[in-house]
Amino acid sequence: MTDLGNIALWVALLIGCWGSAVAFVGGRTGRAELALSAERAVYVTWGLLVIASVGLMRALLTHDFNVEYVASYTSRNLPVYYTWSAFYAGQKGSLLLWAIVVATFGSAALLANRGRYRELMPYVAGVVLVVVTFFVAVMLFASNPFERLGFTPPDGRGLNPQLQNPGMTIHPPMLYLGYTSITIPFAFAVAALLSGRLDTGWLHAIRRWTLLSWLFLSCGIVLGMWWAYVELGWGGYWAWDPVENASFLPWLTMTAFLHSVMIQEKRGMLKRWNVGLVVGSFLLSIFGTFITRSGVISSVHSFTQSSVGYFFLAFLLFAAVAGFSLLYYRWPELEAEAKLESMVSREAAFLFNNLIFIVIAFSVLWGTLFPILSEWVKGTKVTVGPPFFNQVNVPLGLLLLLLTGIGPLIAWRRASPGNLKRQFRWPVAAMLLTAVALAAARISDGWAIAAYALAAFVTTTVAQEFVRGTGARHRLHGESIPVALGRLIARNRRRYGGYVVHLGMVMLFAGFAGLAFKSDTEATLKPGESVTVRSPYGHAYRFTHQGVSQYEQLNRFVSAASMDVWRDEKYLGVMKSEKRQHMDSMGRPTFEPSTEVAIRSDLREDVYLVYAGSVQGTEEAVYRITLNPLVWWVWYGGVVLVIGGLITMWPGDAPTAASRRRAAPAGYVAQVTT
Amino acid sequence: MKAQTKFLIGGGLILATVGYLMASGIKETGVYYLTPSELAAKVRTDHSFYDVGMKMGARVVKGSIQRDVASQTITFRVTDGVQSYPVVYRGLAPDTFTDEVDVVVEGRLQPDGTFRATTLLAKCGSRYEASPTQGGPRV
C-alpha cells in the first residue's frame, strides 16, 4: 500500500505536468478537447492523491514503523484518534494534505462552474494543476512521506503530547483548508486576466470561494488560539509569533477583499485593487509556508528546518511575477467606472476600511520580517515583540471597529444630513453612554473604554438594522415578528449574515479588551495553605491547596495538584491541574512533561490555574493563578463569526450582480423601508 | 475640494500616524537578538553594552540546569558551541525547557558576566512540528 502511494505520487506528477500544459494551450487556442483533457487531469490527480492518502493512513493505522514518517510521529500505545491526526502532525504528511485539499477544491470548483464560465475554466484547471504539481514535486524531491528506513524499529517515537488534544485534531486541518482554498480565487483571478473576461460575472464565483477560505481560515485561527490557551499554560491565546502572524496576514487581505468587492459590484470601482488583493492573499499564504518551513525567522514554533522552505520561496517568486505581470498586462481594461463623490459616503467608509486592513497587514509583515530586514541593513538582528504589534494595531483595530458601525449604514455616493441623523442618532448615544458609564466606574484604561464604547456603537447599529427590517416586514406583509425576522435574514442572507459576522467581531474585540485587566499571581503553598486573589470586578477569590496525588493513566504518568476555590466566601468547587509524563509502550518516559491547565470559565472571567511543580519530593506546590476577564467572549465571538459567515454563504437564490447593481444607487435604506 | 483629494489627505494622515507608531514602536520595544559569540564580540568592543535589554538564542548546556523551587529560580548555562554564558531566570519554565534544547532568553547581561533573564522561551527538537511549542509567560 505504501509503495502504491509512492507510485501514485509519481503518476500524479506526470499527469499534473501534462494537464497544466494542455490547460493553458487549450485556453489560449480555444480547443475544447485540450480543455477537457485538462479538466480530467484535475479529477485524475485528485484520485491519485486519494490513493496516496489512503496509503499513508493505512501505514499509520497498521503501525508500519519501517516507514520513517510513521516511526517519527506515532507509537503503539497512541490512541487511535490521535494516530490518524498524525497524518498532518509532520511536514511530509501535511504536504500531502495540502495537495489533496487543493485538488479537492479544484475538482469541486470545476464541477460547480464548468457550464458557467466556459472561457475561464481551462485556466482555472491549469492554475490548480500547477499548484498541486508543485506540492507533489516537493514531496517527491525533498520530503517524501513514504520514505522507508533501512530497518524496522520495534516502536515509533510517539506523538508530541501537546498535540494530543482534541483542538489539535481540527485546528491544523482548518488552517490548511483556509490556506489552500485561496488557490481557487487566485485561479479565477488569473483565468480572468488571461482570458480578458473581466466583467463582474467571475466576481460572483471568486467572492464565494474567498468567503469559503476566509471561513476556514477564521475557524483555524480561533481554534489555534483556543488550543494555545487550554493546552500551553501561559494564560494567553495570541503572542504575535511569526507563525501566528503568517496565518493572520492572508486573513486580513481576504477580509479587505470581501469588503472592497462590494464596491466593484455596486459601483464598478476598485477593479485593479481587488485583483491585487486576491493575488496578494494567495502569495501571503505561500509566504506563510515559506517563513514557517525555512527557519529564516526564529519562532517558538519550531518546524523542521529543511530545504522545503526554498522550494516555497522559488514558487512564491514565480507566482508573484506571474500574477502581477498579468495584472499589469490588463491594467487599462480594469479602469474604474465611477469616481468617489463624497467623503461622507459608503464608498469612502469602505475605502478607509480597506486602507486600514492593508496597513495592519503591512505593519504585521514588517514586524515579522524585522529581524531579517535589520540584519540586512545593520548587520545585527533586532526583534520586536508583542508591545510593537499592540502599539500599532490597537488604534488601527479600534478605527476599524468604528468603520464596522459606519460602513453598512451610511448611504452610497453621498450621505445627506437626514440619512446620518436617522442612522446614527441611537448608536452614537449608546457609545457616549457606555463611555461615561465606564469612566464613572473608574476604569482607568483608555483603550479599553474606547473599545467598549465602540462595541456599544456597532452593536446598536446592527440591532437597529434588525429591528427596522423586521418591523418593516411585520407592517408591510403582516408577518409575526419571528417569521418576519427569519424571512428578513433568509431573503437578504449576504447582508444580514454580514451583520452577524460584525457582531462576532464586536464580541472578539470585547474579549481582547478584557486583556487590559488580566492579573497573574504566583504562589507556593503547603497542603492546607491558602492564597487570596482580587479579581478586576472586586471579587475575592480564595484558593486552598489540598495536596498532590500521583497515578498512572492511559499512556502517561500523572501528578495532579488540587485546590478548593471560593469566590467571596462562596464555595465554587475543586480545580485540578496536572503535570503529565508520557510513556512509550515499554514504560520509559518520552518527551518532556506537559502541563494540563485547570480553567473555570464564565461570562465575566476565567480562573486559569497552572500547577508548576512541587518543592523537592514534598506536596508543597507552586501555582500560577491567572484571572482572565472576558475570555469566553473570544471563543463565542468566533462561533458567532462562523455562523454569520455560513448564513452569508448559504447557497440559494442569490440575486444576480446586474439586479443588485440596478438597485444600488437608491441605497440600502430605501431597499428595506420601501 | 474634490472627494478624492480629501480621501488622499485622510489616507495620508493614517499612513503617517501608522508610520510614526511603527517607527517609535521599533525604537522603544526592539531588542537585539544575538548569539553568545555575537554578544561576547559586542561586549569586547563596547563596554556600555552591559545592562542593555536583548534576546539571546542558544542551547542549554547538558546537566547545567539547577532549579530552586522554593524561590522559583532556575540557573543554567547556554552555549552556541563557542561562547557560553550562565543564565539566572526567576519564574516558571515552560514544559519544553530541558537539557540541550534551544532557548531564547530575554534580559540583560550583568557586569559580572551572568545573564539575568526575564523571559525564557524554549523550542522543542526535531520531533515537534506543525504546532507551537510552549511560550513563557507572555502578554
Side-chain angles (χ1 to χ4, degrees):
Chain A
M1 220 27 216
T2 323
D3 297 323
L4 189 60
N6 204 12
I7 294 165
L9 287 184
W10 280 104
V11 179
L13 181 73
L14 297 177
I15 302 236
C17 290
W18 158 260
S20 340
V22 294
F24 290 106
V25 174
R28 191 97 198 119
T29 57
R31 284 169 62 183
E33 77 278 10
L34 290 184
L36 188 64
S37 176
E39 191 187 324
R40 286 184 183 148
V42 176
Y43 304 142
V44 171
T45 310
W46 176 80
L48 289 164
L49 290 169
V50 169
I51 294 172
S53 304
V54 170
L56 182 60
M57 193 61 89
R58 206 183 118 86
L60 287 167
L61 293 174
T62 56
H63 302 299
D64 183 359
F65 295 122
N66 185 241
V67 177
E68 189 269 337
Y69 188 76
V70 178
S72 296
Y73 295 100
T74 60
S75 57
R76 292 192 188 279
N77 65 349
L78 185 69
V80 70
Y81 44 94
Y82 292 130
T83 302
W84 86 267
S85 81
F87 190 96
Y88 45 80
Q91 170 168 286
K92 296 170 174 180
S94 32
L95 284 170
L96 181 55
L97 183 70
W98 278 47
I100 189 168
V101 171
V102 176
T104 309
F105 280 123
S107 306
L110 288 175
L111 282 174
N113 296 308
R114 58 197 302 253
R116 241 178 295 176
Y117 310 105
R118 282 231 166 262
E119 290 141 75
L120 298 183
M121 294 330 279
Y123 296 117
V124 173
V127 175
V128 166
L129 281 169
V130 167
V131 175
V132 173
T133 310
F134 165 73
F135 278 109
V136 172
V138 172
M139 272 186 277
L140 287 172
F141 299 119
S143 191
N144 192 335
F146 298 108
E147 189 185 332
R148 288 195 173 269
L149 294 166
F151 61 100
T152 306
D155 197 358
R157 288 191 288 185
L159 185 67
N160 190 300
Q162 292 183 328
L163 300 180
Q164 297 184 28
N165 164 286
M168 241 319 136
T169 59
I170 38 176
H171 152 67
M174 281 290 174
L175 266 187
Y176 292 149
L177 287 174
Y179 264 148
T180 49
S181 51
I182 307 175
T183 308
I184 307 301
F186 175 71
F188 270 99
V190 169
L193 290 171
L194 276 172
S195 66
R197 287 227 11 216
L198 297 161
D199 51 81
T200 43
W202 66 280
L203 266 189
H204 184 62
I206 217 173
R207 193 188 69 84
R208 291 185 76 88
W209 281 100
T210 308
L211 201 52
L212 184 73
S213 44
W214 179 87
L215 206 55
F216 282 128
L217 203 52
S218 306
C219 280
I221 292 173
V222 174
L223 283 168
M225 287 156 74
W226 179 73
W227 172 78
Y229 183 71
V230 302
E231 189 68 12
L232 295 185
W234 56 283
Y237 43 77
W238 189 267
W240 297 106
D241 185 82
V243 171
E244 294 163 3
N245 295 347
S247 66
F248 189 41
L249 288 169
W251 186 90
L252 287 167
T253 49
M254 278 199 270
T255 314
F257 172 78
L258 289 172
H259 288 93
S260 62
V261 74
M262 291 183 229
I263 305 264
Q264 182 171 349
E265 283 174 318
K266 295 260 159 54
R267 308 274 287 118
M269 296 158 71
L270 296 180
K271 292 178 181 177
R272 293 163 182 161
W273 178 251
N274 285 332
V275 176
L277 283 178
V278 173
V279 174
S281 301
F282 177 74
L283 295 178
L284 285 172
S285 82
I286 300 290
F287 169 78
T289 318
F290 164 63
I291 62 166
T292 53
R293 302 282 166 177
S294 63
V296 290
I297 292 179
S298 94
S299 154
V300 285
H301 296 63
S302 64
F303 294 86
T304 304
Q305 299 179 8
S306 68
S307 56
V308 164
Y310 293 92
F311 281 83
F312 278 91
L313 181 63
F315 190 65
L316 177 71
L317 293 176
F318 166 71
V321 170
F324 289 117
S325 327
L326 278 173
L327 178 58
Y328 178 74
Y329 168 60
R330 295 287 178 190
W331 193 258
E333 290 160 68
L334 291 164
E335 179 83 51
E337 292 163 30
K339 277 198 156 65
L340 185 65
E341 289 177 28
S342 162
M343 280 287 276
V344 192
S345 66
R346 191 173 302 183
E347 290 92 324
F350 275 45
L351 285 177
F352 277 113
N353 144 308
N354 258 252
L355 179 70
I356 293 171
F357 272 117
I358 296 312
V359 168
I360 292 178
F362 177 75
S363 71
V364 172
L365 187 63
W366 185 262
T368 309
L369 291 179
F370 199 74
I372 301 181
L373 299 175
S374 63
E375 194 170 24
W376 280 350
V377 177
K378 290 191 350 196
T380 354
K381 268 190 189 168
V382 175
T383 61
V384 294
F388 165 80
F389 293 102
N390 292 336
Q391 177 170 344
V392 178
N393 288 317
V394 169
L396 287 173
L398 293 179
L399 207 53
L400 209 48
L401 191 58
L402 174 71
L403 289 172
T404 309
I406 295 175
L409 266 66
I410 197 166
W412 288 99
R413 287 165 172 250
R414 187 183 296 276
S416 66
N419 165 267
L420 293 179
K421 196 174 158 198
R422 182 183 137 75
Q423 297 287 43
F424 296 109
R425 195 170 30 186
W426 295 111
V428 168
M431 177 170 75
L432 295 177
L433 209 65
T434 309
V436 169
L438 289 176
R442 294 178 186 283
I443 304 283
S444 55
D445 191 294
W447 291 119
I449 295 182
Y452 292 116
L454 287 169
F457 173 73
V458 180
T459 309
T460 317
T461 61
V462 173
Q464 180 176 283
E465 283 292 283
F466 275 99
V467 168
R468 284 183 182 167
T470 309
R473 287 196 75 89
H474 174 63
R475 279 194 310 277
L476 285 172
H477 304 289
E479 294 163 351
S480 69
I481 300 289
V483 172
L485 178 65
R487 290 209 178 137
L488 179 78
I489 298 171
R491 300 270 157 88
N492 306 275
R493 282 195 284 264
R494 201 172 151 185
R495 177 173 173 200
Y496 288 92
Y499 288 150
V500 176
V501 171
H502 283 178
L503 273 187
M505 276 323 296
V506 168
M507 291 170 72
L508 283 161
F509 270 93
F512 298 156
L515 286 174
F517 310 102
K518 181 176 162 180
S519 79
D520 270 319
T521 311
E522 280 174 22
T524 308
L525 302 172
K526 294 196 176 77
E529 283 184 336
S530 298
V531 62
T532 302
V533 181
R534 262 197 193 280
S535 92
Y537 298 97
H539 297 300
Y541 282 91
R542 185 157 60 85
F543 300 87
T544 304
H545 177 44
Q546 291 183 329
V548 180
S549 53
Q550 298 184 316
Y551 47 88
E552 271 182 51
Q553 184 186 48
L554 287 172
N555 55 353
R556 54 193 177 240
F557 183 76
V558 179
S559 303
S562 308
M563 298 263 240
D564 282 315
V565 186
W566 285 266
R567 181 169 62 204
D568 298 333
E569 295 311 309
K570 184 171 160 281
Y571 185 62
L572 294 180
V574 180
M575 290 180 73
K576 187 178 78 170
S577 168
E578 299 173 358
K579 276 262 181 267
R580 294 175 170 178
Q581 177 62 59
H582 282 252
M583 307 285 187
D584 65 12
S585 52
M586 266 73 108
R588 289 173 308 209
T590 54
F591 297 101
E592 294 79 34
S594 64
T595 307
E596 277 295 301
V597 185
I599 303 173
R600 192 189 174 282
S601 230
D602 63 27
L603 275 177
R604 285 176 302 178
E605 62 192 334
D606 278 17
V607 180
Y608 187 97
L609 185 71
V610 175
Y611 163 52
S614 293
V615 179
Q616 280 91 0
T618 67
E619 288 198 47
E620 186 175 356
V622 181
Y623 284 104
R624 188 171 72 242
I625 301 161
T626 306
L627 293 181
N628 239 344
L630 302 174
V631 175
W632 187 93
W633 291 80
V634 175
W635 316 135
Y636 286 84
V639 171
V640 171
L641 190 88
V642 170
I643 292 173
L646 286 175
I647 294 175
T648 312
M649 281 207 48
W650 206 257
D653 51 330
T656 63
S659 75
R660 273 202 300 274
R661 204 145 164 194
R662 272 197 302 278
Y668 266 149
V669 189
Q671 277 180 321
V672 200
T673 48
T674 51
Chain B
M1 206 189 312
K2 270 170 45 186
Q4 271 177 323
T5 322
K6 284 193 207 162
F7 175 76
L8 289 178
I9 294 173
L13 277 176
I14 292 180
L15 289 180
T17 316
V18 171
Y20 168 76
L21 284 173
M22 281 172 64
S24 71
I26 285 172
K27 210 170 159 196
E28 286 161 25
T29 70
V31 290
Y32 285 110
Y33 182 96
L34 302 168
T35 63
S37 306
E38 287 169 346
L39 177 58
K42 281 264 183 209
V43 172
R44 245 185 319 245
T45 53
D46 179 5
H47 286 279
S48 67
F49 211 73
Y50 289 108
D51 233 20
V52 171
M54 72 184 80
K55 283 181 184 168
M56 178 165 59
R59 180 159 292 188
V60 177
V61 175
K62 192 173 186 178
S64 70
I65 301 176
Q66 290 176 343
R67 296 169 193 260
D68 180 15
V69 178
S71 68
Q72 289 175 37
T73 307
I74 302 170
T75 54
F76 55 98
R77 291 190 74 85
V78 294
T79 182
D80 60 353
V82 182
Q83 183 74 34
S84 96
Y85 278 102
V87 180
V88 181
Y89 170 71
R90 201 184 163 283
L92 304 179
D95 285 345
T96 44
F97 176 72
T98 180
D99 277 344
E100 295 193 296
V101 294
D102 289 326
V103 290
V104 178
V105 285
E106 185 170 0
R108 288 157 197 275
L109 183 66
Q110 305 299 308
D112 66 359
T114 56
F115 191 91
R116 198 162 282 277
T118 49
T119 59
L120 167 61
L121 306 179
K123 284 194 202 179
C124 208
S126 61
R127 289 151 73 188
Y128 195 99
E129 289 186 352
S131 82
T133 61
Q134 161 91 349
R138 292 177 290 187
V139 180

